[in-house]
Structure formats: C-alpha cells, structure tokens
C-alpha cells in the first residue's frame, strides 16, 4: 500500500518519540506544597492524602532539607494553628505557625523561593475563608484581615503570597499594603480562578479546613463558567497579580488554554489534593499505572498552557527521577 503520509514513522521508538515530544516537564516547573503544624517532633500522615503529612517546624525542616536536595526550588506553605477563632486571628500572629516556618526556612535556604497560602479557612473556628456574620461571608472586613496576614508573612521574609480566599478586591488590597510597608519586592500569586470544587476534599482533612456550615459557593467560582474565569483573571491582573493560579487543574484545562491564548500572564496549575488522591488510589488498586498516570495528567496541564505546576507529586517525581 502506498501511503504518502505515515505518522507512525515518528512514533517508532522511544528516541524518535522523545525527539518529537512537544511538551516536556522540568524540575523548575514545580512548586511543592508543605503543611506545617504547631509543636515539636510531630508528623501526622493523612489517610485521604496518601504519602503527604503535616509536620511541626523541626520535622518540616528535615523535609525541606530533603526536597532542596532533590532540586525543588519553590515551596507553597500552609499553616494549621492550634487555636482558631471567629476571625482567624492566629493567621496574622507574628509568632504564628507559618511565620515561624518562614523564618526558619529562609534562614537556612535564602534562595529557596517561598510562597505562602493566604487564607483564613484553617484559622477560623467555622472553617470559612472569611469573616462570617449571620451565616454570610463578609467581603470587606475579610480584606482587612487578609492584608494583615500578608504583611505578617512579608515581615517573616516570604518571597510571594498566594491569596486563596476568593474575596473580591483582595489582590489590590494586599498589593497596596505590601507597597505601603516597603514590601514592593514581595510578589502575589493569586488563586484568580478557583472553582467551588469537590476535588479539595483531602486538602480539607490535612489543613483542617472544612466549613462547619454551608459551602464555599458564595465566594469560589461556579464550575459551569469560563467567561467569568477570564473576568476574574483580568481583575486580578489589574489589581497587581504577578502569577495567576487555575484551580483545580484537571477538569479545567480548557480554562488554562483560554487564558494562555488571550491574557499575557504566567499561569500556575494547581494539581489539587483530590486529583492526586484519585490517581494514587486507582494506582494502588491496580486500575492504572500510578506513575505514568501522574505523568500523563501533569503533561496535560503544561500542554494546556500552564508554565508552573503546584503538585503533591513533586517530591516523588524528583526522587524517582521521572523527569
Ligand atoms: C484554602 C485552600 C484550599 C485549597 C488550597 N487553599 C481549599 C478550599 O478552598 O477549600 C485546596 C488545595 C487542594 O485541594 O489541594 N482556601
């Protein structure tokens, strides 16, 4: 049979497939999340997020030693405090769990790029991302608190803050207080497009951040919307975001691609906890090859247009030399 075009010629063996590969992952693409709790010598594994644990600062430092050795160059820090209250005031305590961790990490690794999640849900006793009044999440009062949280992280030495609360106007407010206090070099990686998603389940276990009433649909985005995602991004870019996050990643690759094609801003895909656990569990039940399935989904995020990937799989990826 005479066929002029035979695409299979370019898939013949590994070498030619590698030569043809349009999308490649590198170590530098990844940000590793890290969960810090108060106390000493504590490490708590979380069943719903296999292989990931939360650690007291001393143990976390050993983890940081390890991941720096592996070539991770950026971390996203989450704190889980011992005491919670109605407005999440331990989130801006200058001796709080995250602030202490920032100081320790930056002291040992000044060149490691350190990013902190700025939100209240792990710090409030009701588990919502903002101040609550009559069961309503109040936007502007939350902004004042988020601003204090961001400043306290900047004072501790963070490189970039990542507001994940989805309140209106928070990027602008955080940018202005950072600039006002001389932290113009501290960047903002905004969770600009964060959908009210079912894929955050395991995160809420590890971060102890499940709302005790209602859900997050009055502040996180409706997953039926894509045009609205572009409006959210435009707002955050105008307000001063340096990088934007699309979250979750897997069910939202169309959104990543649309942003990539229309707005000139670096995009980070958040490969969230549910996406990670789903593949891990399927793998451990023999339903698919775990590592290859991880690679396939991570490549998909980059192919869609993300230049940065936040993933719980980062450490394993590097430890096993998968890239
Ligand atoms: C806090 C926050 C959440 C995640 C990151 N920051 C959860 C939520 O909004 O309920 C999810 C991360 C993940 O699932 O891996 N607002």
């Amino acid at each position: 049979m005479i066929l002029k075009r035979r695409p299979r010629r370019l898939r013949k063996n590994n070498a030619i497939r590698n030569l043809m590969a349009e999308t490649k992952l590198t170590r530098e693409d990844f940000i590793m999340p890290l969960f810090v709790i108060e106390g000493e010598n504590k490490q708590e594994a979380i069943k719903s997020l296999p292989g990931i644990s939360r650690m007291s600062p001393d143990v976390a430092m050993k983890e940081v030693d390890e991941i720096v050795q592996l070539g991770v160059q950026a971390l996203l820090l989450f704190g889980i405090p011992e005491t919670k209250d109605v407005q999440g005031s331990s989130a801006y305590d200058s001796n709080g769990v995250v602030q202490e961790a920032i100081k320790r990490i930056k002291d040992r690794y000044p060149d490691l790029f350190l990013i902190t999640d700025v939100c209240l849900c792990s710090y409030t006793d009701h588990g919502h991302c903002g101040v609550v009044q009559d069961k309503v999440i109040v936007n502007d009062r939350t902004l004042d608190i988020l601003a204090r949280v961001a400043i306290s992280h900047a004072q501790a030495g963070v490189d970039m803050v990542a507001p994940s609360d989805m309140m209106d106007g928070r990027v602008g407010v955080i940018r202005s207080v950072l600039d006002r206090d001389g932290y113009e070099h501290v960047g903002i990686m905004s969770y600009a497009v964060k959908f009210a998603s079912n894929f955050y389940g395991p995160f809420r276990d590890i971060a102890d951040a499940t709302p005790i009433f209602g859900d997050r649909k009055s502040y996180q985005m409706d997953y039926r919307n894509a045009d609205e995602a572009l409006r959210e991004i435009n707002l955050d870019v105008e307000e001063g975001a340096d990088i934007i996050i699309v979250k979750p990643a897997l069910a939202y690759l169309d959104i990543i691609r649309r942003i990539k094609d229309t707005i000139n801003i670096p995009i980070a895909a958040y490969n969230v906890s549910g996406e990670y656990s789903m593949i891990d569990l399927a793998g451990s039940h023999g339903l698919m090859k775990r590592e290859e399935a991880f690679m396939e989904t991570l490549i998909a995020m980059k192919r869609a247009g993300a230049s940065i990937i936040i993933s719980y799989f980062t450490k394993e990826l590097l430890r096993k030399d998968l890239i």
Side-chain angles (χ1 to χ4, degrees):
M1 172 95 136
I2 297 170
L3 281 180
K4 251 189 167 167
R5 299 274 168 222
R6 286 188 183 271
R8 287 185 55 189
R9 281 196 283 261
L10 300 179
R11 296 180 206 133
K12 194 174 147 201
N13 64 19
N14 225 2
I16 183 71
R17 286 194 293 271
N18 287 340
L19 283 170
M20 291 308 298
E22 298 169 33
T23 311
K24 290 174 184 166
L25 297 169
T26 70
R27 278 165 201 253
E28 289 80 25
D29 297 334
F30 286 88
I31 298 176
M32 171 84 198
L34 188 70
F35 297 92
V36 190
I37 50 176
E38 289 180 30
E40 237 184 286
N41 201 21
K42 282 204 224 156
Q43 177 156 16
E44 301 171 358
I46 300 295
K47 204 165 142 246
S48 57
L49 201 52
I52 309 292
S53 39
R54 47 190 190 200
M55 299 161 229
S56 55
D58 52 324
V59 183
M61 282 315 292
K62 288 189 198 138
E63 174 79 1
V64 175
D65 290 342
E66 239 183 272
I67 53 193
V68 167
Q69 276 290 313
L70 290 171
V72 172
Q73 49 159 24
L75 282 186
L76 177 59
L77 263 190
F78 293 89
I80 302 112
E82 221 128 71
T83 48
K84 303 184 185 227
D85 63 21
V86 63
Q87 60 164 15
S89 47
S90 55
Y92 52 81
D93 179 352
S94 56
N95 301 313
V97 56
V98 163
Q99 291 81 355
E100 288 298 332
I102 298 170
K103 287 179 228 161
R104 286 172 84 147
I105 295 171
K106 275 310 229 183
D107 191 45
R108 192 175 300 174
Y109 298 108
D111 296 331
L112 182 65
F113 198 78
L114 199 53
I115 309 164
T116 44
D117 188 83
V118 169
C119 194
L120 302 183
C121 59
S122 294
Y123 298 85
T124 50
D125 49 16
H126 45 70
H128 274 291
C129 304
V131 177
V132 173
Q133 197 171 15
D134 303 326
K135 304 233 160 159
V136 172
I137 292 62
V138 188
N139 198 86
D140 298 9
R141 273 174 57 208
T142 304
L143 296 183
D144 296 337
I145 302 176
L146 293 170
R148 292 178 73 173
V149 176
I151 288 291
S152 74
H153 293 183
Q155 283 166 345
V158 83
D159 294 297
M160 188 170 261
V161 290
S164 69
D165 50 283
M166 286 299 278
M167 297 299 122
D168 293 334
R170 84 268 208 233
V171 172
V173 167
I174 290 173
R175 185 68 271 154
S176 69
V177 293
L178 287 172
D179 289 354
R180 179 201 66 198
D181 288 3
Y183 296 111
E184 64 283 345
H185 54 278
V186 172
I188 301 179
M189 179 168 80
S190 139
Y191 291 71
V193 183
K194 179 171 179 180
F195 289 92
S197 173
N198 295 293
F199 290 88
Y200 305 150
F203 172 93
R204 292 184 188 167
D205 292 340
I206 195 165
D208 190 20
T210 307
I212 57 168
F213 68 89
D215 53 38
R216 303 209 201 287
K217 289 183 181 163
S218 75
Y219 42 106
Q220 299 182 349
M221 271 188 58
D222 185 329
Y223 55 71
R224 292 173 291 189
N225 300 345
D227 291 344
E228 187 188 2
L230 297 186
R231 293 200 293 276
E232 279 283 2
I233 306 253
N234 281 327
L235 282 177
D236 283 16
V237 171
E238 266 169 43
E239 290 176 32
D242 300 290
I243 299 172
I244 59 94
I245 302 178
V246 176
K247 174 185 174 181
L250 270 188
Y252 301 92
L253 298 176
D254 59 318
I255 310 276
I256 295 179
R257 175 41 63 185
R258 272 186 73 178
I259 299 166
K260 176 73 180 165
D261 288 342
T262 52
I263 303 173
N264 188 2
I265 182 90
I267 306 167
Y270 199 139
N271 176 211
V272 299
S273 58
E275 298 170 347
Y276 169 90
S277 296
M278 207 164 51
I279 292 179
D280 183 88
L281 281 173
S284 62
H285 284 74
L287 303 181
M288 55 179 82
K289 289 184 190 156
R290 182 176 174 282
E291 286 156 20
E292 288 186 24
F294 271 121
M295 293 307 286
E296 183 178 340
T297 57
L298 296 169
I299 286 276
M301 292 165 207
K302 193 152 181 203
R303 195 187 61 233
S307 52
I308 299 168
I309 301 173
I310 304 165
S311 177
Y312 302 100
F313 192 60
T314 304
K315 184 177 172 192
E316 192 178 334
L317 190 71
L318 303 194
R319 187 161 40 81
K320 295 186 173 164
D321 272 328
L322 298 175
I323 47 175

